[in-house]
Amino acid sequence: MYKVGFVGNPNVGKTSLYNLVTKSNLRVGNWHGVTVDCTQKVVKTKTSQIAYCDLPGIYSLQGFGVDEQNALTQMEQGFDLLVCVVDCTQLQKNLYLL
């Protein structure tokens, strides 16, 4: 099984992309605490299974808050692919994480 994680700053569209890819309906909001832990869904394809994980928003790899620490812990456990979602209207701030 492949493991894919969506990572990026808060409020850049990670959960919206996750909902689109996994055909889910997670709550999307523009306030602190909407996504505080990794939400995972397994999607079956013809040849394999892919586990998608929607990670909490982080600004850097320092992990100051509880939700950032949760995201970093999940990232340390390993993914086959990390998709870094960025907001192109705030590119300089978003590229710091990338």
Side-chain angles (χ1 to χ4, degrees), residues 3 10 15 28 33-34 36 42 44 50 52 57-58 61 65 90 97:
K3 193 170 179 184
T15 303
V28 178
V34 175
V36 294
V42 176
K44 297 178 182 180
I50 303 171
Y52 291 98
I58 57 175
L61 298 178
Q90 299 181 8
L97 173 64

Side-chain angles (χ1 to χ4, degrees), residues 3-96:
K3 193 170 179 184
V4 177
F6 294 106
V7 66
N9 291 172
N11 304 315
V12 294
K14 296 178 303 297
T15 303
S16 296
L17 183 60
Y18 175 87
N19 283 340
L20 182 69
V21 170
T22 63
K23 295 180 176 54
S24 297
N25 193 21
L26 293 180
R27 185 175 73 172
V28 178
N30 190 13
W31 60 88
H32 180 72
V34 175
T35 305
V36 294
D37 201 5
C38 174
T39 304
Q40 185 170 308
K41 183 173 183 178
V42 176
V43 176
K44 297 178 182 180
T45 66
K46 291 181 181 179
T47 58
S48 65
Q49 295 180 354
I50 303 171
Y52 291 98
C53 185
D54 181 25
L55 295 165
I58 57 175
Y59 290 105
S60 70
L61 298 178
Q62 303 299 317
F64 296 109
V66 175
D67 47 353
E68 288 183 339
Q69 283 294 332
N70 288 341
L72 293 173
T73 301
Q74 290 292 325
M75 289 170 57
E76 288 172 355
Q77 292 178 3
F79 286 92
D80 296 303
L81 175 68
L82 279 174
V83 178
C84 187
V85 182
V86 298
D87 178 1
C88 66
T89 64
Q90 299 181 8
L91 200 54
Q92 185 174 4
K93 184 170 82 171
N94 284 229
L95 289 179
Y96 181 75

